[in-house]
Amino acid sequence: MIEVNPQDYDIVLKIKDESDIAVSRQMAKNFAQKMNFSLADVTKIATAVSELARNIYRYAKEGYIYIREKEAGPEKAITIEILACDEGPGIENVELAVSGGYTTSERSLGLGLAGIRRLMDSFHIESEVGKGTAVIVEKRRHAY
Amino acid sequence: MKSKVVPTIKLYDYLLVPIQIELDDNTVERLQMQILHEIHENDVRGIIIDVSMVDVIDSYISFVLSETAGMAKAMGCHTVICGIQPQVALTLAQMGIRLKDIITARSLEDAIDILDELD
Ligand SMILES: Nc1ncnc2c1ncn2[C@@H]1O[C@H](COP(=O)(O)OP(=O)(O)OP(=O)(O)O)[C@@H](O)[C@H]1O
Ligand SMILES: [Mg+2]
């Protein structure tokens, strides 16, 4: 899938237990707060990380979430980048999974990926059946 | 029943559930069991879930809250959620998440008024 060098990131979270979902959500929240995102954006970022961590735990059993601060675009906007990757079963129909309302879980809305896409400024997903899944999202810090 | 996840308060015929802990998946599921158990035990006619201390509500938490409200409804009980933080409401709306079977109120007082009206 994607080559990742953990040293390039500010935070590396291993997702393995259910409790790691809440931990990663809190870590993302603290990091976004330190980066001076608005309260609304801190909440969106923490919610997106919660969704990504749960998908890893639920579908791939384990994986990693990497978070870093970077500058993006010609205007060098302060940006948070989140990469979630796993070597789980992968997604058969990525387009369908991202469209919203599709789920292979019994007790779910199927709005995780579709929701993340709407909450963040950029959304990129790569998935291969039998190999794994990687989701990269970014959010720029706006002047406020 | 096992130990309570959240201490609850009986208020008139209503059960007030103030959530003051981090809602991980296990907690939210145990909370559902607790609420259903308390409706059954205490002759509750309405549930008020206060989420003013909750700073992230994601897709699964939303699902379980709605599912709980649906089950409560089957037991003759309305569910009102109050104190939802503006940025949490914004995030849910943007994600396209609707809290099915749940009435939303601005404050605890409003929640009580709404339940009184429904009876
Ligand atoms: N990391 C992953 N590995 C394998 N399959 C995945 C992964 N993430 C998502 N999927 C698949 O994509 C579907 C849609 O995911 P999404 O997060 O949008 O909804 P959900 O997890 O089913 O429900 P919700 O997130 O609303 O609780 C899942 O049901 C699952 O089949
Ligand atoms: Mg999901």
Side-chain angles (χ1 to χ4, degrees), chain A residues 51 54-55 58-59 108 110-113, chain B residues 59:
Chain A
E51 298 293 349
R54 179 170 297 100
N55 281 355
R58 227 191 238 170
Y59 306 112
S108 276
L111 288 175
L113 291 173
Chain B
S59 173

Coordinates of all heavy atoms in Angstrom, one line a residue, chain A residues 51 54-55 58-59 108 110-113, chain B residues 59, ligand 2:
Chain A
E51 N -13.8 8.3 13.8 CA -14.4 7.4 12.7 C -13.3 6.6 12.1 O -13.5 5.4 11.9 CB -15.0 8.3 11.6 CG -16.2 9.2 12.0 CD -17.4 8.4 12.4 OE1 -17.5 7.2 12.2 OE2 -18.3 9.0 13.0
R54 N -12.2 3.9 14.6 CA -13.2 2.8 14.7 C -13.2 1.9 13.5 O -13.3 0.7 13.6 CB -14.6 3.4 14.9 CG -15.6 2.3 15.0 CD -17.0 2.7 15.5 NE -16.9 3.2 16.8 CZ -16.9 4.5 17.1 NH1 -16.9 5.4 16.2 NH2 -16.9 4.9 18.4
N55 N -13.1 2.5 12.3 CA -13.0 1.6 11.1 C -11.8 0.6 11.2 O -12.0 -0.5 10.8 CB -13.0 2.5 9.8 CG -14.3 3.0 9.5 OD1 -15.3 2.7 10.1 ND2 -14.3 3.9 8.5
R58 N -12.7 -2.0 13.8 CA -13.8 -2.8 13.4 C -13.5 -3.8 12.3 O -13.8 -4.9 12.3 CB -14.9 -1.9 13.0 CG -16.2 -2.3 13.6 CD -17.3 -1.5 12.9 NE -18.1 -0.8 13.9 CZ -19.0 0.2 13.5 NH1 -19.1 0.5 12.3 NH2 -19.6 0.8 14.4
Y59 N -12.9 -3.2 11.2 CA -12.7 -4.0 10.0 C -11.3 -4.6 9.8 O -11.2 -5.6 9.1 CB -13.1 -3.1 8.8 CG -14.4 -2.5 8.9 CD1 -14.6 -1.1 9.1 CD2 -15.6 -3.2 9.0 CE1 -15.8 -0.5 9.3 CE2 -16.8 -2.7 9.1 CZ -16.9 -1.3 9.3 OH -18.2 -0.8 9.5
S108 N -25.0 0.2 12.5 CA -24.2 1.3 12.0 C -25.1 2.1 11.1 O -26.0 1.7 10.4 CB -23.0 0.8 11.3 OG -22.0 0.6 12.1
G110 N -23.4 3.8 8.7 CA -22.7 3.8 7.4 C -22.3 5.2 6.9 O -22.2 5.5 5.8
L111 N -22.1 6.1 7.9 CA -21.9 7.5 7.6 C -20.5 8.0 7.9 O -20.2 9.1 7.9 CB -22.9 8.4 8.2 CG -24.3 8.4 7.6 CD1 -25.3 9.2 8.5 CD2 -24.3 8.8 6.2
G112 N -19.6 7.0 8.4 CA -18.3 7.4 8.8 C -17.5 8.0 7.7 O -17.1 9.2 7.8
L113 N -17.2 7.3 6.7 CA -16.3 7.8 5.6 C -17.0 9.0 4.9 O -16.3 10.0 4.6 CB -16.0 6.7 4.6 CG -15.1 5.5 5.1 CD1 -15.0 4.4 4.1 CD2 -13.7 6.1 5.4
Chain B
S59 N -20.4 8.9 14.5 CA -21.5 8.1 13.9 C -22.0 6.9 14.7 O -23.2 6.7 14.9 CB -20.9 7.6 12.6 OG -21.8 6.7 11.9
Ligands
MG2 MG -17.2 3.6 10.2

